[in-house]
């Protein structure tokens, strides 16, 4: 499942993921952040990229296809 709040032109674009999802993120003109949050309190911040996140059974795996991500 994926949850997200309301996105506007000023706030970071954030999603909360339980399960698996592939993301192909497009930059915005004002360089808004895009962050994927997982149940185990991991945050994957996109630095311009395509990547997969698998978050199941209290474990998270991030597979980078192109670009860069920051994991905290």
């Amino acid at each position: 499942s994926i949850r997200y709040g309301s996105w506007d032109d000023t706030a970071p674009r954030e999603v909360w993921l339980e399960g698996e999802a592939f993301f192909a993120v497009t930059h915005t003109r004002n360089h808004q952040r895009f962050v994927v949050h997982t149940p185990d309190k991991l945050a994957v911040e996109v630095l311009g990229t395509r990547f997969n996140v698998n978050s199941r059974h209290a474990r998270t795996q991030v597979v980078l296809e192109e670009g860069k991500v920051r994991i905290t």
Side-chain angles (χ1 to χ4, degrees):
S1 68
I2 292 180
R3 291 185 301 112
Y4 61 93
S6 62
W7 289 4
D8 61 33
D9 292 341
T10 60
R13 299 173 292 169
E14 296 182 279
V15 297
W16 287 262
L17 172 68
E18 290 186 42
E20 184 172 6
F22 180 81
F23 297 91
V25 179
T26 303
H27 283 288
T28 60
R29 291 182 187 191
N30 62 350
H31 305 287
Q32 283 175 283
R33 293 175 48 215
F34 185 97
V35 182
V36 179
H37 300 279
T38 64
D40 56 352
K41 308 252 187 264
L42 193 75
V44 181
E45 181 179 353
V46 173
L47 303 174
T49 193
R50 295 174 1 165
F51 63 102
N52 192 75
V53 177
N54 184 339
S55 181
R56 293 188 178 137
H57 309 295
R59 293 180 53 188
T60 298
Q61 178 184 38
V62 178
V63 178
L64 180 64
E65 184 175 302
E66 179 182 303
K68 295 180 184 180
V69 293
R70 176 182 300 138
I71 299 173
T72 55

